[in-house]
Amino acid sequence: MPATSKAQQRAAGAALSAKRGETSADDLEGASREMYDSMTEKELEKLASTSHDDLPERAEND
């Protein structure tokens, strides 16, 4: 499950950092907080490791 935007990839990275204990989960807000609460470390790794070279800054809503 690759990230669909650079913003999503960054949010996953922040959530992953908190999940690993590298940063405080109390500092998370918005999407990164939701990801932290609802996703496993392995799922977050997949999103955060997505190459962001060809991703839009934000995903368009359909």
Side-chain angles (χ1 to χ4, degrees):
M1 162 173 78
T4 57
S5 69
K6 291 178 183 179
Q8 185 183 44
Q9 191 250 1
R10 283 193 300 267
L16 179 60
S17 177
K19 190 74 90 165
R20 290 179 173 169
E22 298 167 356
T23 58
S24 174
D26 293 336
D27 294 337
L28 297 177
E29 297 177 352
S32 58
R33 181 58 171 189
E34 291 177 25
M35 289 178 178
Y36 175 82
D37 291 335
S38 66
M39 299 178 79
T40 66
E41 187 173 333
K42 189 171 185 173
E43 291 171 321
L44 290 169
E45 284 175 358
K46 287 182 182 180
L47 276 177
S49 68
T50 302
S51 173
H52 59 263
D53 292 337
D54 296 326
L55 294 177
E57 183 60 36
R58 299 216 177 268
E60 293 182 26
N61 293 334
D62 291 332

